[in-house]
Structures are given as structure tokens and as C-alpha cells.
Amino acid sequence: PNKKNPLLIIESSYVTTTASGMGDKAKAEIAIARLIEEYYPSAKFIGFLDGIGWLCRDKDLERIVSAFDDVFTFNEVSMVQFKNLLKKIFPSND
């Protein structure tokens, strides 16, 4: 609803980096998730991951996914799932 009491925090990760950079990114997201949990305990933290590079780095993929409450990609099916999540978090008053 506002910056002091968010319901949803979204991280979009587009990584053009070396393999070790992906590991660093995963570790950073875990640290961010801990801060969000501490300062915004009712917020849902979701991530958008961008590409196939993560599939080659299965341990780093495991790490980064563990940081988020939900993870999405930019494919059509995932975008529908994301829209459904938004409707659940922010129900309309129709």
C-alpha cells in the first residue's frame, strides 16, 4: 500500500556476467531477502529471472530461487501466473 508497508517487492534480474558473477548475484539476493524479512515481514518478495544461463549454474539457481517467495520468468505461462498472484495480493473491489 505504501513505501513504509509494502505488500509486494519485486526484483528483476537481468544478468550479463561471468559464472562467478551469477553466484555473487544469488548471494546478494539472499542477503536482500533477509533484510526484507526483517524490515517488511508482511511483504512478499518475488523475483523475475531472465535466462538460460541460470540453468547451467544449478547451485546458483538453487540459491537465488531460495531467496524469493515466488519466482517467474518472462514466458507467457509465467506471466499469467504472475498476473494471478497480483490479483490474489491486490484483490479488486468490484
Side-chain angles (χ1 to χ4, degrees), residues 7-93:
L7 294 177
L8 181 65
I9 298 172
I10 301 171
E11 170 71 23
S12 180
S13 174
Y14 179 79
V15 179
T16 303
T17 185
T18 62
S20 64
M22 293 177 92
D24 293 342
K25 176 68 175 167
K27 291 173 191 169
E29 292 303 334
I30 290 169
I32 290 168
R34 288 184 184 132
L35 290 171
I36 289 170
E37 191 175 314
E38 180 179 345
Y39 292 101
Y40 307 109
S42 22
K44 191 164 190 67
F45 184 38
I46 67 164
F48 275 87
L49 298 181
D50 63 323
I52 199 153
W54 288 103
L55 295 177
C56 300
R57 304 282 299 173
D58 55 338
K59 288 296 179 189
D60 291 327
L61 177 60
E62 230 177 271
R63 283 186 194 103
I64 198 164
V65 167
S66 75
F68 301 118
D69 294 311
D70 281 304
V71 178
F72 300 94
T73 62
F74 296 98
N75 74 42
E76 205 172 314
V77 172
S78 193
M79 294 307 295
V80 169
Q81 293 169 334
F82 173 63
K83 287 177 188 176
N84 290 336
L85 175 68
L86 290 178
K87 289 175 186 176
K88 188 176 175 183
I89 294 173
F90 304 106
S92 68
N93 295 326

